[in-house]
Structure formats: C-alpha cells, structure tokens
Amino acid sequence: MSIERFIMAFAGTMVLISLALTVWVNPHFVWFTVFVGANLFQSAFTGFCPVAIAMKKLGMKTEAQRALAKP
C-alpha cells in the first residue's frame, strides 16, 4: 500500500470513528471530525501531512517510488 492510499484510508477511518463518538458518546467529538477535514484541506494545498511524514519514517513508499521500483 502506498502512502497516498494509506492516508485516504486513515482519514476515512478517523472520520467514521469521530462520527460514532459524536453520536454515541458526546456531541463535542464533532470537533475531531472538523480537525481531520481541516488537516486534509490544508495538506492539499501545502503538501504537509503529519501522517505521511510518520509513514515515510516507517519505510512506506509513495506511488511514484513504487512505480519506479517495478521492473
């Protein structure tokens, strides 16, 4: 799995978890959903994503790196 796909899966999971927490625990968990959405929005323009940085340090490759590695 590439970093780009992992980030989409991670963000989707965080949104679903935060919505479940909002419904079943406390309505203030909606701010967690707002945070995830704002982070996705800013990373689209700046390219800065803390999850991507962590995944790179763990050795995960981007789509471009995976394409270059294929024979």
Side-chain angles (χ1 to χ4, degrees), residues 2-3 5 9-10 16 19 23 25-26 31-32 35 39 41 43-44 48-49 53-54 56 60 63 65-68:
S2 68
I3 290 175
R5 288 178 182 247
F10 183 78
L16 292 174
L19 288 175
V23 170
V25 178
N26 188 322
W31 291 107
F32 184 41
F35 172 75
N39 193 344
F41 185 75
S43 70
F48 175 75
C49 180
I53 293 168
K56 284 179 188 175
M60 192 175 279
E63 285 285 337
Q65 291 169 332
R66 290 173 49 114
L68 290 174

Side-chain angles (χ1 to χ4, degrees), residues 12-32:
T13 302
M14 291 298 104
V15 167
L16 292 174
I17 289 171
S18 67
L19 288 175
L21 289 170
T22 299
V23 170
W24 291 309
V25 178
N26 188 322
H28 288 102
F29 275 107
V30 74
W31 291 107
F32 184 41

